[in-house]
Amino acid sequence: MKPSPDLLTPDNHVLVLIDFEGQMAFATKSISLNELRTNTAIISGASKIFNVATIVTTVAEESFSGPVFPEIQEYYPQATSGYIDRTSMNTWEDEAAYKAITGTGKKKIVLAGLWTGVCIVGPALSALSEGYEVYAITDACGDVSTEAHERAVQRMVQLGVKPMTSIQYVLELQRDWARQETYVAVTDLMKKYGGAYGIGLQYAHHMLAH
């Protein structure tokens, strides 16, 4: 009856959202922008619902890359969330970001962002080398080509990074539908952003009401 320690819980990890900005999205070709934005909303919403330690970091926001996706701003407004802007491509090499991530005291780090082969590979491998457990939400990442994204994921997995998807992330945090304190928020999030799964929930709730 004891769950695996490899599973994520709301309090055993930090979520790091990296460079979800317009200039990075314009060149992303491995996933459609619509799907990327939807998956970003799912993980941002889930982390907010479960009060997960969450860090939003940008690169050259004012001079090049632009503002973060509105799906992140919805749950983590810049005015109150303290985005960390960097010049380094590797988040792990930015002192402020490094201190923010490691300062949470979490040994599990979950990453998502643009681009997979640079902005995710860099901190993923760096965190692994310092003894952290690293997860990548691969359908909330993207790169300049399918080849670039797939090779980046393959490289990370070979070295020990654990891949997962956006819906897998939110359901792993919920874990039990008897957890009523988050049930409504999670199902509402899925109805809004969960595609076919969300439509199924809407249908089921409507029919059960009758």
Side-chain angles (χ1 to χ4, degrees):
M1 293 292 289
K2 188 175 181 180
S4 167
D6 288 326
L7 292 171
L8 296 174
T9 66
D11 60 359
N12 73 358
H13 73 284
V14 55
L15 175 66
V16 187
L17 303 175
I18 302 174
D19 303 350
F20 283 104
E21 300 169 272
Q23 186 63 39
M24 307 304 294
F26 297 153
T28 296
K29 303 300 181 185
S30 62
I31 184 173
S32 74
L33 186 53
N34 285 343
E35 186 177 0
L36 179 63
R37 291 180 64 181
T38 295
N39 294 341
T40 302
I42 289 172
I43 62 174
S44 299
S47 69
K48 192 69 173 181
I49 290 167
F50 290 98
N51 296 312
V52 172
T54 301
I55 294 166
V56 181
T57 181
T58 58
V59 63
E61 180 182 1
E62 294 299 328
S63 61
F64 179 74
S65 298
V68 303
F69 289 8
E71 290 76 16
I72 292 177
Q73 295 184 36
E74 177 182 356
Y75 298 102
Y76 295 99
Q78 185 169 14
T80 57
S81 299
Y83 299 172
I84 300 170
D85 196 49
R86 318 177 323 277
T87 59
S88 64
M89 287 181 277
N90 181 2
T91 295
W92 207 255
E93 295 179 56
D94 180 88
E95 184 176 5
Y98 176 82
K99 287 182 176 179
I101 296 167
T102 59
T104 64
K106 311 296 184 182
K107 295 303 291 182
K108 297 181 188 292
I109 298 174
V110 180
L111 303 173
L114 305 174
W115 297 319
T116 322
V118 180
C119 303
I120 302 302
V121 164
L125 301 192
S126 301
L128 281 176
S129 72
E130 292 193 25
Y132 289 88
E133 294 178 62
V134 182
Y135 300 70
I137 306 178
T138 56
D139 68 349
C141 296
D143 214 319
V144 297
S145 68
T146 300
E147 176 80 7
H149 174 76
E150 290 181 351
R151 294 297 77 73
V153 172
Q154 186 178 40
R155 180 184 181 189
M156 290 189 290
V157 169
Q158 287 176 341
L159 293 172
V161 175
K162 301 166 184 178
M164 64 190 311
T165 67
S166 54
I167 289 181
Q168 183 181 357
Y169 177 72
V170 64
L171 295 183
E172 195 159 315
L173 296 183
Q174 176 65 26
R175 197 81 60 80
D176 187 341
W177 292 121
R179 293 176 177 171
Q180 291 298 309
E181 65 273 17
T182 52
Y183 176 85
V184 172
V186 166
T187 53
D188 283 349
L189 179 70
M190 289 294 94
K191 287 175 186 177
K192 185 175 182 180
Y193 292 114
Y197 175 47
I199 289 295
L201 285 172
Q202 180 192 33
Y203 174 85
H205 287 169
H206 176 81
M207 299 305 288
L208 286 171
H210 292 76

